[in-house]
Amino acid sequence: MKEICQSVFWTESVSDVVEHCFDLTGEAPIVLVDESTHDHCWPLFNQSGQFTKADLIEIPQGEESKSLEIAEQVWSALTNLHVNRSTWVINLGGGVVTDLGGFISSTFKRGVNFINIPTTLLSMVDASVGGKTGINFGGFKNHIGVFSLPHSVCICPEFLTTLPEEHIRNGFAEMLKHGLIGSEDHWNNLQKLPTTLEGVSDYISSSVQIKADIVERDFRDSGERMKLNFGHSVGHAIEAVGMGQEEHVLHGYAVAAGMVIETRLCALKGLISDEQAKDIEAVILQYFEVSNLLSISVEELLPYIWQDKKNTDHMNFTLLSQIGTGLVNQEVTAEELAQIIA
Ligand code: GLY
């Protein structure tokens, strides 16, 4: 396995991931899965039977599992399994599993070692890397949580072979964001790619690298790391509005719509030209059909935007000064948002 940045490993082969984990955990770790990764990823991970003595804990699939109720159930399961500080937890799944599993591992008995094996593109390029763990609370995204680094993150695109294209796009939104906030070259490379596994896989590690470099400089999110939140002030609000509805809004689609609105804000505030904003918007909309999300009213979004962790006594957004450069702590008013949002 190649270490692409501190404790983040890349390999094309699941057997390398198995070997790395086995060396650390031995044959009987706890493996946290959801229904889908139990069916599709666990058989791949345990194909040669090394982890037959592992204890699997399965949570329901979906964002609703990032809840206090599910966290309590998993803490109870760990208690019943007599987990102690020498036990390892492997989080095998997408962002829900790695966010929840990281939070549970970091708080159980004040912390047990954990490894993230992301199985979605979104978790490979974002959620599993950088040590943000947590759950949703009171209708707000990631409201309760801790910063806590996994011992290792093992990224292997073989886990993505069964992922539908919609979920490749879901992660691709974060890859586009990495280009916009951190590297014009990355942005240019991504623009013409098909959103298939073959199309994007050569660029996963550069996306992770952009994120990891920023995290290394500002682990606790007090400055530069907030660049990674471009598109998320509005994106999280869109997701929160969608939480109560029958069909859940995928994070990447909400962030894509959030990036469109926040790019328009950059132009409104004179940070980039109207032409640049239109070019960025056209690239995003070429991949994401989000007209329904762009028509959510400012009145619906504002209560959630106000809860954003970047805010102080006013709303602070991450905006762009040019393609490849994010700007943190940009004050935005409700009036400005109302000019941009229907
Ligand atoms: N997902 C944004 C961050 O890790 O800071």
Side-chain angles (χ1 to χ4, degrees), residues 40-60:
H40 298 111
C41 302
W42 168 246
L44 198 59
F45 184 60
N46 192 38
Q47 58 188 304
S48 43
Q50 275 106 319
F51 292 109
T52 311
K53 291 197 177 149
D55 284 298
L56 260 70
I57 300 178
E58 183 184 308
I59 57 167

Side-chain angles (χ1 to χ4, degrees), residues 3 23 46 73 99 119 189 214 227 245 256-257 296:
E3 190 167 14
D23 286 349
N46 192 38
Q73 287 171 18
D99 282 8
T119 59
N189 288 335
I214 293 173
K227 285 184 183 172
Q245 292 169 4
I296 300 174

Side-chain angles (χ1 to χ4, degrees), residues 254-268:
V255 168
M259 288 195 292
V260 167
I261 290 171
E262 295 181 20
T263 297
R264 289 179 190 166
L265 267 176
C266 298
L268 180 82

Side-chain angles (χ1 to χ4, degrees), residues 126-127 129-132 147 174 177 211 215 219 221 225-226 228-229 232 251:
D126 189 31
V129 175
K132 278 190 180 174
F147 290 98
E174 297 284 357
K177 179 199 75 181
K211 169 161 187 179
V215 170
F219 177 58
D221 208 8
R225 184 167 182 169
M226 287 187 258
L228 292 163
N229 233 247
H232 286 64
H251 179 71

Side-chain angles (χ1 to χ4, degrees), residues 229-258:
N229 233 247
F230 179 62
H232 286 64
S233 295
V234 175
H236 278 157
I238 291 173
E239 269 186 289
V241 170
M243 258 188 218
Q245 292 169 4
E246 212 165 284
E247 198 154 328
H248 187 75
V249 182
L250 288 175
H251 179 71
Y253 284 68
V255 168

Side-chain angles (χ1 to χ4, degrees), residues 99-121:
D99 282 8
L100 176 81
F103 177 62
I104 285 165
S105 308
S106 308
T107 46
F108 187 78
K109 296 193 175 173
R110 297 206 182 90
V112 297
N113 274 314
F114 66 102
I115 297 171
N116 283 344
I117 305 178
T119 59
T120 62
L121 182 60

Side-chain angles (χ1 to χ4, degrees), residues 166-229:
E166 190 185 44
H167 284 264
I168 297 285
R169 276 207 216 117
N170 196 30
F172 192 66
E174 297 284 357
M175 294 174 70
L176 289 172
K177 179 199 75 181
H178 290 148
L180 287 172
I181 58 143
S183 163
E184 190 173 5
D185 282 350
H186 191 56
W187 169 256
N188 290 336
N189 288 335
L190 297 181
Q191 278 180 42
K192 291 168 197 78
L193 294 181
T195 42
T196 58
L197 177 54
E198 296 69 35
V200 304
S201 64
D202 283 348
Y203 298 95
I204 297 175
S205 64
S206 29
S207 249
V208 173
Q209 188 80 57
I210 293 168
K211 169 161 187 179
D213 285 348
I214 293 173
V215 170
E216 204 173 307
R217 291 191 290 267
D218 177 25
F219 177 58
R220 297 194 78 83
D221 208 8
S222 57
E224 191 186 354
R225 184 167 182 169
M226 287 187 258
K227 285 184 183 172
L228 292 163
N229 233 247

